[in-house]
Amino acid sequence: MNKISYEFPLNEKCRTYLRIDNLFAQMQANLAMADSWQSLAFFKALFDFMELTERCDMRGDLSKDMERLRLKMQGWRERPDVDTAKLDGLCAELQQHAYQLPRSVRPGSCFKEDKFLGALRQRFTIPGGLCPFDVPIFPLWLAQPQAKRQAQAEAWLSELNLLNTANSLLLDLWREQGSFQPHIAKSAFYQDAADGCELLRLNIDAELGCYPTVSGHRSRFAIRFLPLTEQQRLGDVPFELACC
């Protein structure tokens, strides 16, 4: 079975965390700078990250959510099936990040002083704006040895390590709090309660030819499955769901 996995946020903060997570994955996937197209994909993700973090300073929200999760996890200590050594390690890691984030430099602020990134970013917003006549410095940068380009990309990414590590840790711990259960969307529709959940995770068989759309908030959510083509008619749709 060829399953497609989806994640849907149930609040605006989680939406931002998932977008940041996706952008980091894109940057890391193209970090090798093997060719010009991989380089362009890296810079596209980097500039999207810069624009997203300029709109909102997520350090405070991320710190509060990590502290809230740490206190929740401390309450699990009395459970008989809990690995207390692992729990203590995770709580200490959450506490460290929660303390460091508000005291750190705003992510990406150092990039504003980089003239090369500034010249490139300015042209990224123009359709076809990365032609050699638009940004003559870019072909020169691409002509450098791959190892040198990769080292510079790794240096840019290292400036974001704290945010990346904290964001990934929080999302991973949220994900682990929900287990997948089978469900049936009657006539391609399903709804349920979502008290205290941050995100929904769905698995669906690609052979069914449909995709989910989600509406909701912290208390309730609704999932409607839509067909890939207008000619297709949907009945009951089986899927797996985890509320995290």
Side-chain angles (χ1 to χ4, degrees):
M1 184 181 294
N2 181 20
K3 290 185 179 180
I4 303 176
S5 297
Y6 293 90
E7 291 185 331
F8 290 95
L10 292 176
N11 55 68
E12 193 59 34
K13 289 186 298 182
C14 184
R15 186 185 306 275
T16 300
Y17 299 160
L18 288 172
R19 284 174 173 161
I20 291 293
D21 192 53
N22 182 268
L23 291 173
F24 273 119
Q26 291 179 47
M27 285 187 277
Q28 289 166 342
N30 293 286
L31 196 58
M33 298 283 178
D35 52 41
S36 60
W37 303 116
Q38 198 172 48
S39 300
L40 284 172
F42 173 87
F43 286 120
K44 174 65 166 61
L46 178 63
F47 296 146
D48 283 350
F49 167 84
M50 292 173 65
E51 183 173 350
L52 185 59
T53 53
E54 285 171 2
R55 293 178 186 172
C56 61
D57 189 355
M58 59 182 288
R59 291 173 298 172
D61 286 339
L62 191 54
S63 176
K64 291 175 184 177
D65 281 334
M66 298 190 90
E67 179 61 18
R68 191 177 298 114
L69 179 57
R70 185 187 71 84
L71 294 174
K72 178 181 179 180
M73 290 173 62
Q74 289 283 21
W76 300 347
R77 180 178 296 279
E78 303 305 321
R79 296 182 181 179
D81 58 340
V82 168
D83 184 337
T84 55
K86 183 177 180 180
L87 180 65
D88 288 343
L90 289 172
C91 286
E93 196 172 354
L94 286 168
Q95 186 175 32
Q96 180 182 13
H97 288 310
Y99 176 82
Q100 290 177 336
L101 278 167
R103 295 161 177 80
S104 63
V105 177
R106 185 163 183 157
S109 58
C110 59
F111 298 153
K112 294 181 179 180
E113 308 301 323
D114 192 308
K115 293 183 179 180
F116 170 70
L117 290 179
L120 210 57
R121 185 185 182 188
Q122 186 179 19
R123 291 294 178 174
F124 250 91
T125 59
I126 302 173
L130 290 177
C131 293
F133 59 81
D134 283 312
V135 197
I137 193 175
F138 192 40
L140 176 61
W141 189 86
L142 290 173
Q144 297 181 100
Q146 179 186 353
K148 187 174 181 179
R149 287 184 279 116
Q150 183 175 349
Q152 191 164 16
E154 289 173 350
W156 287 321
L157 207 53
S158 68
E159 298 287 343
L160 311 175
N161 273 346
L162 176 60
L163 180 65
N164 181 23
T165 304
N167 191 64
S168 295
L169 176 63
L170 180 66
L171 287 175
D172 286 345
L173 291 175
W174 277 353
R175 290 165 178 141
E176 289 179 7
Q177 292 182 61
S179 58
F180 284 103
Q181 301 295 331
H183 293 276
I184 300 291
K186 297 292 185 180
S187 300
F189 182 78
Y190 179 87
Q191 62 181 343
D192 203 349
D195 293 331
C197 294
E198 304 289 347
L199 75 154
L200 303 177
R201 305 179 71 199
L202 286 81
N203 290 330
I204 183 170
D205 184 2
E207 299 300 323
L208 295 175
C210 61
Y211 61 94
T213 61
V214 174
S215 59
H217 45 78
R218 283 182 178 270
S219 59
R220 292 198 66 81
F221 65 90
I223 304 172
R224 185 175 298 278
F225 291 90
L226 300 177
L228 183 61
T229 62
E230 293 182 1
Q231 294 76 22
Q232 185 180 358
R233 293 293 179 266
L234 297 178
D236 294 348
V237 178
F239 69 102
E240 294 177 339
L241 173 68
C243 297
C244 307

